[in-house]
Amino acid sequence: MRLNSAGDSGGPGAEKGSADYVVPDDELGHIGHAAFGLFDGLESTGKHAKAASETAGTSLKGDGFDTGAAFTEVIGTWETQVKTLLQACAHISNHLDYAKASNKADDEWIETQLRIVGPVAPEADEAVPASQISKYFQ
């Protein structure tokens, strides 16, 4: 999400010569999809060795090895960190979905309000570009 400067900025997400507010949905979508993919993969793969590791830790502890208790503690720490990462991925994915929908709704509301104000020229049936909004507030 960015505000383009007036004139020919040519930056990512901007059309040549555009000075309007731009939120490239495809970029938000790629990031959200990557976060969801990480969440989806980590949910199963982050836990695949849990049962075997717990069995090994219990067995080592039962045989009198101090490493068994340490191993069990490491498993608990790993599980906590996987859950934290899962929550972060879900938060990122959900937030980007919300931002995309919210920005679209905001854009539609602004467009409607600008159509109420009137077109740029009487013969044109176009909304007022965001770069021209300031003249209505002077």
Side-chain angles (χ1 to χ4, degrees):
M1 187 162 57
R2 70 187 207 115
L3 292 175
N4 292 330
S5 61
D8 189 17
S9 66
E15 295 179 24
K16 264 197 166 315
S18 171
D20 292 335
Y21 174 71
V22 176
V23 176
D25 287 341
D26 57 338
E27 290 179 22
L28 291 178
H30 291 308
I31 296 168
H33 181 71
F36 179 77
L38 182 58
F39 174 88
D40 199 35
L42 185 61
E43 191 170 28
S44 60
T45 58
K47 300 174 185 176
H48 80 280
K50 181 181 177 194
S53 299
E54 285 177 338
T55 301
T58 303
S59 178
L60 287 168
K61 189 176 178 181
D63 289 339
F65 290 100
D66 291 338
T67 55
F71 196 56
T72 303
E73 186 178 331
V74 167
I75 295 165
T77 302
W78 173 259
E79 193 173 41
T80 300
Q81 291 187 355
V82 166
K83 286 179 183 177
T84 301
L85 185 55
L86 284 169
Q87 289 174 354
C89 290
H91 180 73
I92 290 167
S93 180
N94 292 341
H95 180 73
L96 289 174
D97 286 344
Y98 171 79
K100 183 177 174 182
S102 177
N103 286 337
K104 183 177 184 204
D106 289 347
D107 287 347
E108 289 170 355
W109 182 85
I110 290 169
E111 181 180 354
T112 301
Q113 296 305 309
L114 290 176
R115 286 192 189 280
I116 291 169
V117 169
V120 177
E123 66 278 357
D125 186 27
E126 298 175 0
V128 177
S131 59
Q132 300 294 316
I133 292 174
S134 63
K135 74 179 181 184
Y136 291 100
F137 295 102
Q138 294 178 1

